[in-house]
Amino acid sequence: AQKITQTQPGMFVQEKEAVTLDCTYDTSDPSYGLFWYKQPSSGEMIFLIYQGSYDQQNATEGRYSLNFQKARKSANLVISASQLGDSAMYFCAMRSTGFQKLVFGTGTRLLVSP
Amino acid sequence: SQTIHQWPATLVQPVGSPLSLECTVEGTSNPNLYWYRQAAGRGLQLLFYSVGIGQISSEVPQNLSASRPQDRQFILSSKKLLLSDSGFYLCAWEPGSYNEQFFGPGTRLTVL
């Protein structure tokens, strides 16, 4: 069975600083994908970044990067130069290749202060 | 570009009443479609998914059902709502060949 663990219920960071949101996963499947989503207070889920299990390089999308450590089964999200608009819930998720089910973690609430 | 719509945005229903939530996708064809529920302060729970018209897979046995009468339309229903059905319902779609799922704006359901 697949499982995603996000151990940080809440994180605080000052504007313009970098922050790392932790995510560990558990799966026995050799091929899988890892995702991060942002959920602002409005409720919509916004896709941020994707990392495939066979990707050699860490994924990056603008200020977002994914620190993928396969041996440790971790897929931490790094947000550089935090902005006030980054305040939101952040969810880590995974799915095995070829399967429909996307498994989500419980989320981390990030608050960015001026 | 692709767009996903959900309605209504909010809904307050009494226990025992029926439910119908609708999700439609524009700008794509033959998408995979998903219904998720999010309880307050929790992660997302997959309820149903569909890979084609009339094809529904259920992840959690409960008093909810789903239907896909058209390629880009996905409906979540219930004959009799329970208090435990309260939550935030999100519809999502994905192109068949990609991995990311893209979510709609959600419906906030309160059952009283």
Side-chain angles (χ1 to χ4, degrees):
Chain A
Q2 298 175 337
K3 185 178 180 181
I4 292 283
T5 302
Q6 294 181 255
T7 58
Q8 305 158 316
M11 289 286 287
F12 297 89
V13 66
Q14 278 202 313
E15 202 175 5
K16 299 180 184 178
E17 292 184 349
V19 63
T20 298
L21 306 183
D22 294 341
C23 172
T24 58
Y25 60 93
D26 188 22
T27 183
S28 57
D29 296 317
S31 180
Y32 50 89
L34 296 155
F35 307 81
W36 277 93
Y37 285 85
K38 172 185 177 181
Q39 187 178 40
S41 57
S42 59
E44 63 194 296
M45 292 286 285
I46 303 168
F47 167 72
L48 295 178
I49 197 167
Y50 163 79
Q51 178 86 41
S53 59
Y54 290 118
D55 292 343
Q56 295 297 315
Q57 292 186 325
N58 288 342
T60 60
E61 289 287 348
R63 295 185 298 111
Y64 304 108
S65 60
L66 200 152
N67 184 2
F68 181 45
Q69 298 187 42
K70 194 170 183 177
R72 294 185 177 183
K73 293 189 174 179
S74 74
N76 298 339
L77 177 70
V78 180
I79 305 175
S80 62
S82 297
Q83 301 172 357
L84 296 178
D86 293 335
S87 293
M89 283 289 287
Y90 288 81
F91 291 93
C92 180
M94 74 172 297
R95 75 192 296 186
S96 294
T97 301
F99 287 87
Q100 265 66 42
K101 188 170 184 176
L102 191 59
V103 177
F104 285 83
T106 53
T108 295
R109 183 171 297 281
L110 176 66
L111 289 178
V112 181
S113 60
Chain B
S1 64
Q2 300 85 6
T3 309
I4 180 168
H5 303 280
Q6 283 187 248
W7 63 89
T10 60
L11 191 60
V12 180
Q13 292 284 93
V15 170
S17 64
L19 173 74
S20 180
L21 302 181
E22 190 164 343
C23 170
T24 59
V25 182
E26 295 178 356
T28 188
S29 59
N30 197 31
N32 294 334
L33 297 173
Y34 301 81
W35 277 113
Y36 289 89
R37 178 170 61 198
Q38 184 179 29
R42 306 287 295 275
L44 273 68
Q45 178 188 36
L46 178 63
L47 301 176
F48 301 94
Y49 66 88
S50 172
V51 298
I53 296 174
Q55 301 179 59
I56 307 295
S57 296
S58 173
E59 284 291 313
V60 183
Q62 54 202 336
N63 68 320
L64 298 173
S65 62
S67 62
R68 186 170 176 174
Q70 300 180 44
D71 181 43
R72 291 168 289 177
Q73 184 185 31
F74 205 22
I75 297 173
L76 182 69
S77 305
S78 174
K79 292 182 179 178
K80 288 186 177 182
L81 283 168
L82 306 173
L83 287 174
S84 57
D85 291 325
S86 293
F88 191 54
Y89 288 81
L90 287 155
C91 181
W93 76 277
E94 66 179 6
S97 58
Y98 296 100
N99 281 294
E100 302 94 283
Q101 293 182 10
F102 301 96
F103 287 79
T107 294
R108 199 165 301 279
L109 171 67
T110 303
V111 182
L112 301 175

